[in-house]
Amino acid sequence: MRQHIKAGIAAGLFSLSTAAAAAYPDRTVEFIVPYAPGGTTDLIARIVATKLSDVLGQSVVVVNKPGAGGAVGSAYAARQKPDGYTLVMAVESSHAVNPSVQKKSQYDPVNDFTPISNLANVLGVLDVNAKSDIKTFQQLLDVLKAEPGKLSFGSSGLGGYSHLFGERFLSVTKTDMLHVPYNGLGPALTGLLGGQIDVVFDNLPSSAGQIAAGAFRPLAVAAPTRVKSLPDVPTYAEVGYPQLNTPSWFGMAGPAKLPADVLDTLNKAVGEVLADPEVIALIEKQGAVPDHTTPEAFKQVIEASNERWQDVVQAIGFEKL
């Protein structure tokens, strides 16, 4: 009799655990954005979260936790319970560049997270003020080589993606510019608009409005092919620098050791979201390309990017923060 009772209890517990696993998610999911509202990371997260809520049948709420170049929000997400109810935007700046420039990072970008999928590859753009005498990429190079240090480029801050990409640009092209760090990319773009600096290496979504308004002149894009909205702007590969022609990745991750069933549910849901024509159109409007991957493939992207940026930091002699 006792054996039957034990068997019944065990069967009941198994049934409950199975039902619980199948019920994911049964409450609100937090999607951490480790940057301030309004930037590229935030925009893509909100586009995906809106549709993901419909697919999962539960609210997916974007929570901004900015600070320290993405470190605050990323470290917070890494410390949360790996149950699928806390997700994070894992992007190249926070999960490859930032850890590469820190003497002691608050988190391990590979081992402290479970990669779920890339979401989008965001195209880069080299901007000058539309009033500048520099009309083409080659003219920019000519000035940089003829008068080293005369021009300046602005960034989101020391050690940020826009700074490191700029340093990589200077290293690859064997030129020199003064680096002017700002407290965020928004102020840097304002500096470019006001003529305080000469160049900004930006993500296309952030610059698209000023380009469309005729305030910024794009000289090159980091993209596989020319951008439909900028048909006259060459890629870095076309102007002879294919090593700069790498878009920036923006993906989704959870804390380390996310359960396999939850990971599978989220990856499939993201695939459904990124296949939606409305989502595709919204992401492309931001100057990005939707990109659903397997968790394994996204992990490889993160690992490869960390190796590349560590090499860049070493090559340019950047003193870690």
Side-chain angles (χ1 to χ4, degrees):
M1 181 68 174
R2 289 180 180 176
Q3 289 181 342
H4 288 301
I5 292 174
K6 288 180 179 179
I9 292 173
L13 290 173
F14 176 79
S15 177
L16 286 171
S17 64
T18 303
Y24 173 82
D26 61 4
R27 54 188 169 88
T28 297
V29 175
E30 283 195 345
F31 194 9
I32 306 299
V33 172
Y35 295 97
T40 302
T41 308
D42 182 68
L43 292 170
I44 291 175
R46 292 180 186 279
I47 291 170
V48 171
T50 299
K51 184 64 178 179
L52 191 60
S53 296
D54 296 336
V55 174
L56 292 177
Q58 290 289 341
S59 295
V60 178
V61 179
V62 172
V63 179
N64 296 90
K65 289 186 178 293
V72 172
S74 298
Y76 168 84
R79 294 192 300 267
Q80 303 311 299
K81 185 177 179 181
D83 54 9
Y85 290 98
T86 302
L87 308 176
V88 64
M89 280 293 286
V91 304
E92 189 165 6
S93 55
S94 63
H95 278 64
V97 175
N98 190 303
S100 297
V101 301
Q102 299 291 331
K103 290 180 180 177
K104 187 175 181 181
S105 179
Q106 299 179 47
Y107 53 93
D108 185 312
V110 176
N111 297 316
D112 287 349
F113 300 89
T114 301
I116 295 170
S117 173
N118 193 23
L119 300 177
N121 293 314
V122 175
L123 311 181
V125 61
L126 190 170
D127 291 323
V128 297
N129 190 298
K131 296 177 182 178
S132 170
D133 293 332
I134 298 171
K135 309 295 183 183
T136 67
F137 183 88
Q138 187 57 52
Q139 287 180 357
L140 173 63
L141 281 188
D142 291 343
V143 172
L144 292 177
K145 290 180 181 296
E147 302 179 80
K150 175 184 178 181
L151 301 184
S152 61
F153 78 95
S155 77
S156 60
L158 192 65
Y161 181 85
S162 52
H163 173 210
L164 267 291
F165 190 93
E167 295 291 354
R168 190 179 178 206
F169 172 92
L170 297 178
S171 176
V172 167
T173 60
K174 295 179 173 56
T175 57
D176 185 37
M177 273 193 283
L178 173 68
H179 171 229
V180 182
Y182 284 82
N183 187 25
L185 199 53
L189 295 175
T190 299
L192 181 64
L193 190 63
Q196 284 81 41
I197 52 175
D198 303 293
V199 174
V200 168
F201 299 94
D202 192 18
N203 288 318
L204 185 54
S206 306
S207 292
Q210 296 291 2
I211 292 172
F216 290 171
R217 178 182 298 124
L219 301 184
V221 291
T225 60
R226 292 201 179 198
V227 181
K228 292 179 182 178
S229 59
L230 302 172
D232 298 327
V233 181
T235 67
Y236 280 110
E238 288 181 288
V239 295
Y241 297 97
Q243 59 271 64
L244 297 173
N245 210 44
T246 52
S248 184
W249 46 268
F250 287 67
M252 176 188 288
K257 299 180 181 180
L258 202 63
D261 56 330
V262 173
L263 176 59
D264 185 60
T265 295
L266 286 168
N267 184 269
K268 288 179 178 177
V270 167
E272 187 174 340
V273 168
L274 295 180
D276 184 273
E278 183 179 357
V279 172
I280 292 172
L282 288 170
I283 290 177
E284 289 182 342
K285 187 177 180 180
Q286 299 303 320
V289 179
D291 183 35
H292 175 237
T293 65
T294 64
E296 293 77 14
F298 187 36
K299 182 180 180 180
Q300 290 174 8
V301 167
I302 296 172
E303 290 175 340
S305 292
N306 272 271
E307 290 179 7
R308 181 172 67 248
W309 284 112
Q310 287 166 14
D311 289 344
V312 169
V313 167
Q314 185 174 2
I316 66 176
F318 182 85
E319 186 174 347
K320 292 193 175 185
L321 305 174

